[in-house]
Amino acid sequence: MARERTAKKREEHEVEFSRIVAFSDGVFSIAITLLVLGIDIPDTLHHSQVGHALWEEREALFAYAISFAVIARFWIVHHSFFSEVKAFDGKLIGLNMLYLGFLVLIPFSSKVLGEYGGVFASVVLYSANLAAVVLIGQWMAWDARKAGLTAIDVETAREDLIRGFFIAGVFGLSVIVALFDPSIAPYMWLALFFEGRGHVIERLSRPRSS
Amino acid sequence: MARERTAKKREEHEVEFSRIVAFSDGVFSIAITLLVLGIDIPDTLHHSQVGHALWEEREALFAYAISFAVIARFWIVHHSFFSEVKAFDGKLIGLNMLYLGFLVLIPFSSKVLGEYGGVFASVVLYSANLAAVVLIGQWMAWDARKAGLTAIDVETAREDLIRGFFIAGVFGLSVIVALFDPSIAPYMWLALFFEGRGHVIERLSRPRSS
Amino acid sequence: MARERTAKKREEHEVEFSRIVAFSDGVFSIAITLLVLGIDIPDTLHHSQVGHALWEEREALFAYAISFAVIARFWIVHHSFFSEVKAFDGKLIGLNMLYLGFLVLIPFSSKVLGEYGGVFASVVLYSANLAAVVLIGQWMAWDARKAGLTAIDVETAREDLIRGFFIAGVFGLSVIVALFDPSIAPYMWLALFFEGRGHVIERLSRPRSS
Amino acid sequence: MARERTAKKREEHEVEFSRIVAFSDGVFSIAITLLVLGIDIPDTLHHSQVGHALWEEREALFAYAISFAVIARFWIVHHSFFSEVKAFDGKLIGLNMLYLGFLVLIPFSSKVLGEYGGVFASVVLYSANLAAVVLIGQWMAWDARKAGLTAIDVETAREDLIRGFFIAGVFGLSVIVALFDPSIAPYMWLALFFEGRGHVIERLSRPRSS
C-alpha cells in the first residue's frame, strides 16, 4: 500500500511521534481537569444556605463522575491504540485532532448535563458528543489498521469494532429512552462500566471454537 | 501470585508506564494551577473599594495556600510511590484514575472553603474530599504491594499506612471540631505540616529495639 | 556566521531543547482546550429553554471548530519547524515566546467571535490575532534559517514563506470584506482548509521546470 | 557537607528529577495560559458596543503582555537554573513548590491589575507577588549552591544575586512611586525588559580588571 510506504516509521521519528502522543495526553489531562469547573455554587449565599446549595450540586457531581470515568476510559483506549501504532502520516494526525476536537467539548456537554440533567436536549447533546468521540476513535483505528500503520491483529480489531458499536449503541438507545423520560438516560450509561470487563463483547467477538 | 505474573513489567513497557505517570503529573499540575481561579474580586468596584475587596479575599488566599501545599504534598507522595512501582496492570491504572478523580475535585472544595470558611458544610466537604484522596492513595499503595507490583519493603509500607491513617484522622477530627466551631477546623490541618518531618509517625511505626 | 557558532547545538543540549518544545506543547494543548470555555449557556434557564439556548450557541460552536482547527494546524507547523531546528539561542527562544504570547490570546478572540460573530470589531480582532501568529511564526522561521539554526532547504523555506503570506492575506482580505458584511468573513477562513493540501502554493512556489 | 552527601544525584535518579522539572514546566505553561482568562468582555452587549468594549480592555491587554513576558522570563531563569542542578533533596523540592505557589498567583494579580490598573492596591498586590517569586527564586538558588547541589560558579551566582535584587528593587520602587501616582508604576516595570540584555548588571557584577 502506498500509504504504508510513505508514512513515517515510528522508530525513525521517535521524537516527533512522542510529541503527538504528549500533545494528546496534555489535551486529555486538561479536558478531564476542566470538568471540575462544571461544579460551582453561588458566592453570595447566606451561611445557612451553603449546605443546601452543595446538596443541589449532586447532579453536577454525578455528571462529573460519569464524565471523569468516560474520559479516563477514552484515555486508556487511546493509550493502548497508540502503543500499537508503528508508523504515522498526516491523515492519522488529522483524525487524531478531529478526535481531540470532540473530546475537548465534553466539559461543556458535561456542565450542561449537570445543570439540566432531566432535560431531553442535554441528554441528546451529551450522547451525541460521546458517540462522536467513540465513532471517530473507531474510524481512526480502522483507517490506521487498513493503511498498515498499526500492529493490531484482526481478532483485536474485531473486538474493538464491536466494543465501539456497543458504546455508540448505548448512547443511541439512551436518546430514544430520553424521548420518554430524560432523567433515566444517564443511568443507562452506567452499563458501560459494568461492561468494562468486556464479558459480553468477548462472547460476541470470539469465534465459537475457542 | 497470578496478578504479579500477568502485570506488565515496567522495564519492558517504559513508554506506556511513562504515559501513565505523565498523565498523572499533567492532572496534578493543572489541578494545582486551577486553585487560583478560586480567588477573585468583582470587576465593577469603585477604585476606593479595591483594597478592601482584596482584604476580603484573605480567606480565599488562606484556602489557596492550604490547598496548594496539600496538592504539592500529595504529588510528592504519588511521585515517590510511583518511583517504587515495578509493574502495572489494569487495576493499578483504575485505582490511579479514581485517585485523580477525587484530586481534581479539590479546586472546587477549596473554592467553597475560601468563600464560606466558617461554615460547617464547607469544612465537611473539604475534609471529606481530602480524606478520600488520602484513603484511595493508601488503598492503591496497599493493593499494589499486596499484588507484588512495588518494591516497597514491609517497614516503609507500615510507616505509610500509619501516616495515611494519621492524615485521615486529622480530617475526621476536624469535622467533629467543626460541629462546635467550624472556623477552628482549618487551623487543625496545619498540624499536617508540622508533622511533615514524620517524628511522631516514626516513633509510632518503628519497632522498639531500633 | 557568529550566531551559528554561539548557538547551542541541539544534540549536545537535548534536555534543554526538549524543555522548550515541551513547554510550547503544553501551551498549545492548554490554549486549544481553553477554547471550550468560550461555549456556555446560562445556568438559570427553565427546562423548556435549554434546547433553544443550545441552538443559540451554534455561532460559538462554529468559532470553536474554526479555532480548534487553526490551533491544531499551527501546532503541526510548529511541530514540523522544530523538528528541523538543529541549534537554538536566546533569540529563537524569545521569538518562540512572542509567538506563544499571541497564540494564547486566541481563546479570547475566539470567544468574542463566537458571541459577536457578525460584528466588524470581532472579525478584525480575530483576523489580527491569527495574522500576528502566522507572521511571527514566519519571522521566527526566517530568522532561524538565516542564522543557520535549521536544516530547512531553500525550496521548503520559499514554500513556507508563500504559505505564510497566503494565510495572512486571507485574514487581511477578510477584514476588507468585513467592512461591507462582517458575517461573511468567517466563511472566507474556510479557504485555509481547502488550501490545506497546498496545491495552489505548490504551483506558485515550484520553479517552472519541475 | 551533610546535605550534599544525602541528596539524590541527578544522573542516578534521572526519571525522578525529570518529573520535578516536568511538573514545574506544566505549572508554568498552565499559569501563562490562564492569563488569557483575565481578558473578557460582557456577553450581553449591543453590536455597536463591541468595538468600544474591546477598546476598554486595553489595560487588561497591557497587563496580559507584561505578565506573559514576566512569566516567560521566570521560566527561562528557572530553566537555566535547573539545567545546572546536579543533585536534589526534599528542601530543594519544597522551595521549588513555594516558588510555584507564588507563580500560580500571577494570573490573579494580573487580572486585578488589568481591571484596576491605576489603583494603589493593585500595584502593591502585583509588585508584591512578583517580588515574592523573584526572592524565593533567589533563595532557592542560593540555598542549592550553598548545599553543593548546583554546578554554578561564584561569578554566575553573584550576577544572579545582583540581578535578583535589581528586579526586586524595581518592584519595591514602583510601590513607592504608586503612593504618588499608581498609573505610572506599571511603566517602570518595562525597565526590566530593557535591562534584559544585562548591561547594567554586567558592569556592576564584573570585577574591574576583566
Side-chain angles (χ1 to χ4, degrees):
Chain A
M1 266 168 256
R3 231 175 116 197
E4 196 173 350
R5 277 203 313 276
T6 57
K8 292 186 178 182
K9 294 280 168 299
R10 179 176 173 169
E11 63 257 45
E12 292 164 21
H13 297 83
E14 196 57 52
V15 173
E16 232 182 307
F17 185 77
S18 304
R19 261 194 92 179
I20 300 169
V21 171
F23 179 79
S24 307
D25 279 0
V27 170
F28 267 104
S29 56
I30 302 154
I32 212 170
T33 313
L34 288 186
L35 289 174
V36 74
L37 301 184
I39 319 171
D40 205 6
I41 61 170
D43 55 357
T44 53
L45 300 172
H46 188 266
H47 282 194
S48 62
Q49 298 171 304
V50 175
H52 183 255
L54 289 172
W55 175 246
E56 287 295 306
E57 289 299 303
R58 65 191 185 281
E59 280 206 330
L61 270 165
F62 182 66
Y64 168 81
I66 288 187
S67 301
F68 197 97
V70 162
I71 297 185
R73 183 116 206 192
F74 285 161
W75 180 76
I76 290 168
V77 172
H78 190 268
H79 179 150
S80 91
F81 168 66
F82 267 86
S83 74
E84 299 292 340
V85 167
K86 298 298 167 216
F88 60 98
D89 58 4
K91 193 172 180 195
L92 179 61
I93 297 178
L95 283 173
N96 190 42
M97 283 295 181
L98 189 64
Y99 177 90
L100 296 176
F102 279 90
L103 185 89
V104 169
L105 282 177
I106 296 179
F108 166 65
S109 305
S110 176
K111 195 183 170 189
V112 171
L113 186 75
E115 275 163 5
Y116 304 107
V119 177
F120 181 63
S122 313
V123 173
V124 170
L125 174 71
Y126 195 80
S127 295
N129 191 349
L130 267 60
V133 175
V134 171
L135 292 174
I136 295 165
Q138 290 295 321
W139 177 16
M140 177 166 66
W142 174 82
D143 186 79
R145 199 176 65 82
K146 204 190 53 163
L149 307 180
T150 67
I152 298 172
D153 58 296
V154 179
E155 185 68 6
T156 313
R158 199 169 61 176
E159 273 184 42
D160 283 355
L161 203 66
I162 294 178
R163 190 176 303 241
F165 284 128
F166 174 78
I167 298 173
V170 168
F171 286 114
L173 205 66
S174 71
V175 171
I176 296 169
V177 168
L179 280 169
F180 301 98
D181 187 344
S183 60
I184 294 171
Y187 297 99
M188 293 184 60
W189 303 332
L190 296 175
L192 298 172
F193 299 98
F194 293 116
E195 183 41 33
R197 291 147 193 267
H199 295 154
V200 172
I201 282 156
E202 216 171 316
R203 245 175 296 135
L204 287 169
S205 65
R206 282 267 167 83
R208 228 162 299 167
S209 60
S210 74
Chain B
M1 263 166 258
R3 229 175 117 200
E4 196 174 350
R5 277 204 313 276
T6 56
K8 293 186 178 181
K9 296 276 168 299
R10 179 177 172 168
E11 63 259 42
E12 291 164 19
H13 298 82
E14 197 56 54
V15 173
E16 234 182 306
F17 185 77
S18 305
R19 261 193 93 179
I20 299 169
V21 171
F23 180 79
S24 307
D25 280 0
V27 170
F28 267 104
S29 56
I30 301 154
I32 212 170
T33 313
L34 288 187
L35 290 174
V36 74
L37 301 185
I39 319 169
D40 205 6
I41 60 170
D43 55 358
T44 52
L45 300 171
H46 188 265
H47 282 194
S48 62
Q49 298 171 302
V50 175
H52 183 255
L54 289 173
W55 175 244
E56 287 294 306
E57 289 299 304
R58 66 194 182 281
E59 280 205 331
L61 269 165
F62 182 66
Y64 168 81
I66 288 187
S67 301
F68 197 98
V70 163
I71 297 184
R73 184 113 206 194
F74 286 160
W75 180 78
I76 290 168
V77 173
H78 190 269
H79 179 150
S80 91
F81 167 66
F82 268 86
S83 74
E84 299 292 339
V85 168
K86 299 298 168 217
F88 60 99
D89 58 4
K91 194 174 179 193
L92 179 61
I93 296 179
L95 283 173
N96 190 42
M97 283 295 182
L98 189 65
Y99 177 90
L100 296 176
F102 279 90
L103 185 90
V104 168
L105 281 177
I106 296 179
F108 166 64
S109 304
S110 177
K111 195 183 170 188
V112 172
L113 186 77
E115 274 163 6
Y116 304 108
V119 178
F120 180 63
S122 313
V123 173
V124 171
L125 173 72
Y126 194 81
S127 294
N129 191 349
L130 267 59
V133 175
V134 171
L135 292 174
I136 295 165
Q138 291 295 322
W139 178 17
M140 176 166 67
W142 174 82
D143 186 78
R145 199 176 65 81
K146 206 190 50 158
L149 307 181
T150 67
I152 298 171
D153 57 298
V154 179
E155 186 67 7
T156 313
R158 200 170 61 176
E159 273 184 43
D160 282 354
L161 203 66
I162 294 179
R163 190 175 303 240
F165 284 128
F166 174 78
I167 297 174
V170 168
F171 286 115
L173 205 65
S174 71
V175 171
I176 296 169
V177 169
L179 280 169
F180 302 98
D181 187 344
S183 60
I184 294 171
Y187 297 100
M188 294 183 60
W189 303 332
L190 296 175
L192 298 172
F193 299 99
F194 293 116
E195 183 41 33
R197 291 144 194 269
H199 297 153
V200 173
I201 282 156
E202 217 171 316
R203 245 174 298 136
L204 287 169
S205 65
R206 283 265 169 84
R208 229 160 299 166
S209 60
S210 76
Chain C
M1 264 168 255
R3 232 175 116 198
E4 196 174 352
R5 277 204 312 276
T6 57
K8 293 186 179 181
K9 295 278 168 299
R10 178 176 173 170
E11 63 258 43
E12 292 164 20
H13 298 82
E14 196 58 51
V15 173
E16 234 183 306
F17 185 76
S18 304
R19 260 193 93 180
I20 300 169
V21 171
F23 180 80
S24 307
D25 280 359
V27 170
F28 267 104
S29 55
I30 302 154
I32 214 171
T33 313
L34 288 186
L35 290 174
V36 73
L37 302 183
I39 319 171
D40 205 7
I41 61 170
D43 54 358
T44 53
L45 300 172
H46 188 267
H47 281 194
S48 62
Q49 298 170 303
V50 175
H52 183 254
L54 289 173
W55 175 245
E56 286 296 305
E57 288 300 303
R58 64 192 185 282
E59 280 205 331
L61 269 166
F62 183 65
Y64 167 81
I66 287 187
S67 301
F68 197 98
V70 162
I71 297 184
R73 184 112 206 197
F74 285 160
W75 180 76
I76 289 168
V77 172
H78 191 269
H79 179 152
S80 91
F81 168 66
F82 268 85
S83 74
E84 299 292 339
V85 167
K86 299 298 168 214
F88 60 98
D89 59 3
K91 194 172 178 195
L92 179 60
I93 296 179
L95 284 173
N96 190 41
M97 284 294 183
L98 189 64
Y99 177 89
L100 295 177
F102 279 90
L103 185 89
V104 169
L105 281 177
I106 296 179
F108 167 64
S109 305
S110 176
K111 196 184 169 187
V112 172
L113 185 75
E115 275 163 5
Y116 304 108
V119 178
F120 181 62
S122 314
V123 173
V124 170
L125 173 73
Y126 195 80
S127 294
N129 191 348
L130 267 60
V133 175
V134 171
L135 292 174
I136 295 166
Q138 291 294 323
W139 178 16
M140 176 166 67
W142 174 82
D143 186 79
R145 200 176 65 83
K146 204 189 52 160
L149 306 181
T150 66
I152 297 172
D153 58 297
V154 180
E155 184 68 5
T156 313
R158 199 170 60 177
E159 272 184 42
D160 282 354
L161 203 66
I162 294 179
R163 191 177 304 239
F165 284 128
F166 174 78
I167 297 173
V170 167
F171 286 115
L173 205 66
S174 71
V175 171
I176 297 170
V177 169
L179 280 169
F180 301 97
D181 187 345
S183 59
I184 294 171
Y187 297 99
M188 294 184 59
W189 302 333
L190 296 175
L192 298 172
F193 298 98
F194 293 117
E195 184 40 34
R197 291 143 193 269
H199 296 154
V200 172
I201 283 156
E202 217 171 314
R203 245 175 295 136
L204 286 170
S205 65
R206 282 267 167 82
R208 227 159 302 168
S209 60
S210 75
Chain D
M1 264 168 257
R3 230 176 115 198
E4 195 174 352
R5 276 204 313 277
T6 57
K8 292 186 178 180
K9 296 278 169 299
R10 178 177 173 168
E11 63 259 41
E12 292 163 20
H13 298 82
E14 196 57 52
V15 172
E16 235 182 305
F17 185 77
S18 305
R19 260 193 93 178
I20 301 169
V21 171
F23 180 79
S24 308
D25 280 359
V27 171
F28 267 104
S29 55
I30 301 155
I32 213 171
T33 313
L34 288 186
L35 290 173
V36 73
L37 301 184
I39 319 170
D40 205 6
I41 60 170
D43 55 358
T44 53
L45 299 172
H46 188 266
H47 281 194
S48 62
Q49 298 171 303
V50 176
H52 184 254
L54 288 173
W55 175 245
E56 286 296 306
E57 288 300 303
R58 65 192 184 282
E59 281 205 330
L61 269 166
F62 182 66
Y64 168 81
I66 287 188
S67 301
F68 197 98
V70 162
I71 297 184
R73 184 114 205 194
F74 285 160
W75 180 77
I76 289 167
V77 172
H78 190 268
H79 179 150
S80 91
F81 167 66
F82 268 86
S83 74
E84 300 291 339
V85 168
K86 298 298 169 216
F88 61 98
D89 58 4
K91 194 173 179 195
L92 179 60
I93 296 179
L95 283 173
N96 190 43
M97 283 295 181
L98 189 64
Y99 177 90
L100 295 177
F102 280 90
L103 185 90
V104 168
L105 281 177
I106 297 179
F108 167 64
S109 305
S110 176
K111 195 184 169 187
V112 172
L113 186 76
E115 273 162 8
Y116 304 108
V119 177
F120 180 63
S122 314
V123 173
V124 171
L125 174 72
Y126 194 82
S127 294
N129 191 348
L130 267 58
V133 175
V134 171
L135 292 174
I136 294 165
Q138 291 295 323
W139 179 15
M140 176 166 68
W142 173 82
D143 185 79
R145 200 177 65 81
K146 203 189 53 158
L149 307 181
T150 67
I152 298 172
D153 58 297
V154 179
E155 185 66 8
T156 313
R158 200 171 59 178
E159 271 184 45
D160 282 355
L161 204 65
I162 295 178
R163 190 177 302 240
F165 284 128
F166 173 78
I167 297 173
V170 167
F171 286 114
L173 205 66
S174 72
V175 171
I176 297 170
V177 168
L179 280 170
F180 302 97
D181 187 345
S183 60
I184 294 170
Y187 296 100
M188 294 183 60
W189 303 332
L190 296 175
L192 297 172
F193 299 98
F194 292 117
E195 184 41 33
R197 289 144 195 271
H199 297 152
V200 172
I201 282 157
E202 218 171 317
R203 245 174 295 136
L204 287 170
S205 65
R206 282 268 168 81
R208 227 161 301 165
S209 60
S210 74

